[in-house]
């Protein structure tokens, strides 16, 4: 398990995975990040982040059945592991601690 | 304009030139999105970004290959310099230039490029044998990648792009600028031949199901 904190994009991917549950594969993950960020997302970057998280044991993947609309290619489903959930909580706590008590960032002053 | 079929070349490039990520699943996702609501430009953009991300990832992983490519590049630069300055080679060049057009230009360019390509291919084969990953298919893939990238590098050089870049840099950087395209061609060719950790992992998942 990774002891460090999640990067910004990794955290976004993890939160989307938690939100999507069992339907999390490349297309809905990319769409959810695009909708949240308002920017086009490179699916290659999403896969690179997912595979990095998988190597750290924070995400697990499984391959579904091939479908005709995907040219006979299978979907690769991703889910967050228990270690991944702990890591998300830890990152959230760190960010909340850092965020707290910053008057410059309250009520849109900046 | 959105077409029902994405560009075949882009799909082929994704499946063969993106060693750092699971190209099969990604190709399926891109096709699904493309058929749903995306343009050809979007598809190409995604494929090129995926290849870039994939190679960046592999560069970080393949330290041994990077070290080999660096050493081979500098070693081959010395060999090539000796070859290009030899009287035999100059005589051959003179013979090529004296031929009729367009034979003269084709022979001259081929003579100039072929030693560099041979050095890349020999280096590629040597590396694959050394790391016990040699197969004819892998070598062919690496040769193809080096051919495409090498031609692009030579086109950049012939267009004067390299000289323009060098004018902006201090003299000490010149040997590195000369060697950078050669290093990148060899390194990317090696990356394209080796099975990445991501692909190995995807295969493990498939076999375990």
């Amino acid at each position: 398990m990774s002891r460090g904190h999640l990067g910004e994009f990794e955290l976004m991917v993890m939160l989307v995975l938690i939100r999507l549950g069992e339907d999390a594969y490349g297309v809905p993950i990319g769409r959810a990040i695009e909708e949240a960020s308002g920017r086009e997302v490179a699916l290659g970057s999403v896969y690179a982040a997912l595979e990095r998280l998988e190597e750290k044991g924070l995400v697990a993947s499984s391959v579904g059945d091939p479908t005709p609309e995907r040219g006979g290619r299978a979907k690769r489903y991703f889910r967050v592991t228990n270690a991944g959930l702990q890591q998300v909580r830890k990152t959230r706590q760190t960010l909340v601690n850092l965020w707290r008590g910053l008057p410059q960032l309250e009520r849109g002053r900046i | 304009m959105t077409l029902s079929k994405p560009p075949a070349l882009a799909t082929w490039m994704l499946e063969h030139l993106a060693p750092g990520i699971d190209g099969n699943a990604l190709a399926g996702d891109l096709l699904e999105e493309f058929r749903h609501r995306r343009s050809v430009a979007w598809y190409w953009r995604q494929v090129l970004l995926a290849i870039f991300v994939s190679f960046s990832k592999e560069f970080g992983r393949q330290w041994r290959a990077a070290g080999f490519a660096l050493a081979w590049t500098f070693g081959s630069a010395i060999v090539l310099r000796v070859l290009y300055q030899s009287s035999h080679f100059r005589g051959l060049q003179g013979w090529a230039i004296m031929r009729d057009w367009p034979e003269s230009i084709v022979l001259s360019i081929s003579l100039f490029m072929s030693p560099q390509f041979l050095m890349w291919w020999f280096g590629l084969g040597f590396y694959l044998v050394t790391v016990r990953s040699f197969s004819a298919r892998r070598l062919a893939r690496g040769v193809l990648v080096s051919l495409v990238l090498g031609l692009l590098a030579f086109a950049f050089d012939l267009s004067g792009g390299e000289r323009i870049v060098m004018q902006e840099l201090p003299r000490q950087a010149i040997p590195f600028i000369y060697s950078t395209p050669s290093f990148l061609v060899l390194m990317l060719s090696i990356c394209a031949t080796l099975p990445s950790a991501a692909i190995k992992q995807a295969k493990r998942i498939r076999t375990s199901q």
Side-chain angles (χ1 to χ4, degrees):
Chain A
M1 183 188 149
S2 167
R3 288 181 186 177
H5 288 93
L6 296 166
E8 184 194 2
F9 193 66
E10 288 177 337
L11 182 61
M12 285 165 79
V13 170
M14 293 289 276
L15 292 173
V16 167
L17 287 187
I18 296 167
R19 195 178 285 268
L20 290 171
E22 292 183 355
D23 295 325
Y25 68 97
V27 172
I29 296 169
R31 282 183 193 166
I33 296 173
E34 270 189 5
E35 281 167 22
S37 67
R39 289 183 192 169
E40 185 176 300
V41 170
L43 279 175
S45 303
V46 173
Y47 269 86
L50 284 164
E51 283 165 3
R52 206 163 47 238
L53 291 166
E54 192 167 18
E55 283 163 21
K56 292 178 187 171
L58 306 178
V59 161
S61 72
S62 58
V63 179
D65 294 323
T67 54
E69 70 264 23
R70 294 170 56 86
R73 295 177 182 91
K75 290 174 186 170
R76 188 166 164 197
Y77 290 98
F78 295 88
R79 65 175 178 81
V80 176
T81 61
N82 287 335
L85 274 176
Q86 280 180 20
Q87 192 70 43
V88 171
R89 285 195 195 104
K90 188 180 158 191
T91 304
R92 178 179 177 273
Q93 193 54 54
T94 304
L95 289 174
V96 167
N97 290 342
L98 287 168
W99 210 257
R100 199 176 290 147
L102 291 173
Q104 297 95 322
L105 296 176
E106 285 171 10
R107 295 184 187 174
R109 284 174 66 183
I110 290 179
Chain B
M1 194 179 90
T2 302
L3 302 170
S4 61
K5 275 192 173 182
L9 176 64
T11 307
W12 183 91
M13 284 171 67
L14 178 66
E15 288 175 339
H16 293 85
L17 303 179
I21 46 181
D22 184 357
N24 193 47
L26 178 58
D29 287 341
L30 291 181
L31 183 62
E32 191 181 325
E33 270 291 74
F34 176 79
R35 286 184 171 163
H36 186 247
R37 57 175 182 168
R38 305 289 193 169
S39 65
V40 170
W42 175 88
Y43 193 85
W44 267 109
R45 210 161 47 240
Q46 289 284 331
V47 167
L48 294 176
L49 279 169
I51 291 170
F52 176 76
V53 168
S54 158
F55 275 113
S56 308
K57 199 177 160 193
E58 284 300 289
F59 260 53
R61 214 190 285 273
Q62 306 284 3
W63 283 108
R64 191 168 47 172
F68 171 82
L70 199 64
W72 191 269
T73 299
F74 282 108
S76 60
I78 295 166
V79 172
L80 289 172
R81 177 179 281 192
V82 171
L83 177 75
Y84 287 140
Q85 287 177 349
S86 71
S87 56
H88 289 297
F89 189 81
R90 288 188 174 188
L92 210 57
Q93 270 186 322
W95 168 81
I97 290 166
M98 296 303 286
R99 311 290 295 179
D100 293 334
W101 193 89
E103 200 181 342
S104 59
I105 188 85
V106 172
L107 280 172
S108 299
I109 292 174
S110 304
L111 263 176
F112 177 64
M113 292 197 308
S114 50
Q116 176 66 80
F117 276 103
L118 287 173
M119 291 305 289
W120 282 326
W121 296 338
F122 186 56
L124 187 64
F126 183 77
Y127 182 78
L128 288 175
V129 170
T130 310
V131 298
R132 295 177 184 178
S133 292
F134 185 85
S135 77
R137 196 175 170 184
R138 282 184 189 155
L139 183 66
R141 193 192 298 170
V143 165
L144 185 68
V145 171
S146 66
L147 200 62
V148 173
L149 296 175
L151 287 173
L152 287 173
F154 273 113
F156 181 64
D157 186 22
L158 289 173
S159 70
E162 208 165 63
R163 278 179 287 281
I164 291 167
V165 171
M166 280 189 293
Q167 281 170 4
E168 304 294 323
L169 293 165
R171 277 187 67 185
Q172 292 88 337
I174 289 174
F176 296 99
I177 299 302
Y178 264 125
S179 304
T180 302
S182 180
F183 166 76
L184 285 174
V185 170
L186 183 58
M187 183 63 198
L188 293 171
S189 307
I190 290 174
C191 283
T193 60
L194 296 175
S196 71
I199 292 168
K200 283 181 192 166
Q201 197 170 27
K203 279 180 184 165
R204 269 205 303 277
I205 293 164
R206 282 184 199 112
T207 49
S208 66
Q209 284 184 336

